[in-house]
Amino acid sequence: MTAQPDVSSPAPDRYSLGIGKLVVPSLIGGLVALTLGIYGRLHHPTGVVVNIAGFTSAGYVKSWLATGATFFAVVQVISALVMYGKVPRVTAPSWIGALHRWSGRLAFILAVPVAIHCLYALGFQSYSTRVLIHSVLGCAFFGAFTVKMLILPKQGLRNWVLPFWGAVVFLALIGIWFSSAYWFFSTFGLHR
């Protein structure tokens, strides 16, 4: 007599298993964003800043570093579109992967000192709508970045997952730039 297969429990869908791979990274990313927000809110802002030679104020340092981070983030998005064949009539060159990785690394390296300055010297602020949006997006950026980096090596995720988190990170950074560097340059000029 042959054994009947157990039909009471359906075979797991290969993509349903991928959702579980998102839970832990998403929880960690949420925890990062929440921790930054709580620290920024509870930490008494020092107002102390470190300036870089050649700049007349910390506002210019932060604005130019944020602009550099945004530039490299744009390079990363364009290189991703080329890598994944989303740009018509453009064949991905062999070096596009390296450009993508290094532009992301440079964007992050430029964003970190700005974030440290914002958290330590200014804290999480809400005295105006622009500043509140900037504070929320800053926390969201690092939370989303954490999720993206944690899911990057995972196999078996749906094709849209990594581009989705990349877009969230990119859009948060663009929002940060508009609510800070763009505002600063519009208010005080490109140099002083």
Side-chain angles (χ1 to χ4, degrees):
M1 183 169 165
T2 59
Q4 296 291 331
D6 181 14
V7 292
S8 61
S9 62
D13 176 47
R14 70 182 188 135
Y15 289 119
S16 67
L17 297 175
I19 296 298
K21 293 179 182 180
L22 292 175
V23 172
V24 172
S26 296
L27 289 173
I28 294 171
L31 186 60
V32 166
L34 190 61
T35 301
L36 290 173
I38 291 170
Y39 172 80
R41 191 69 178 157
L42 296 179
H43 168 72
H44 180 70
T46 63
V48 174
V49 296
V50 176
N51 207 351
I52 296 176
F55 292 94
T56 57
S57 73
Y60 281 106
V61 172
K62 286 174 37 184
S63 296
W64 282 110
L65 288 174
T67 299
T70 303
F71 169 79
F72 285 115
V74 169
V75 170
Q76 191 172 55
V77 168
I78 293 168
S79 63
L81 291 172
V82 170
M83 262 189 338
Y84 291 107
K86 302 298 182 186
V87 180
R89 297 182 294 280
V90 175
T91 304
S94 60
W95 48 263
I96 199 75
L99 175 66
H100 181 75
R101 287 186 300 278
W102 278 101
S103 60
R105 289 171 183 155
L106 291 171
F108 186 75
I109 288 169
L110 292 173
V112 168
V114 177
I116 290 171
H117 173 269
C118 287
L119 276 172
Y120 186 71
L122 305 173
F124 188 102
Q125 299 290 326
S126 59
Y127 60 86
S128 75
T129 302
R130 177 191 65 82
V131 172
L132 175 61
I133 289 169
H134 180 74
S135 294
V136 168
L137 287 175
C139 296
F141 169 80
F142 283 98
F145 180 83
T146 301
V147 175
K148 182 183 175 217
M149 291 298 102
L150 290 175
I151 66 170
L152 193 58
K154 297 202 180 287
Q155 302 293 320
L157 296 173
R158 291 189 177 209
N159 291 339
W160 60 266
V161 172
L162 189 58
F164 170 80
W165 282 104
V168 170
V169 170
F170 177 74
L171 291 174
L173 185 59
I174 294 299
I176 292 166
W177 184 82
F178 271 108
S179 63
S180 61
Y182 176 79
W183 172 86
F184 186 86
F185 290 141
S186 299
T187 304
F188 299 104
L190 293 176
H191 59 81
R192 187 192 269 176

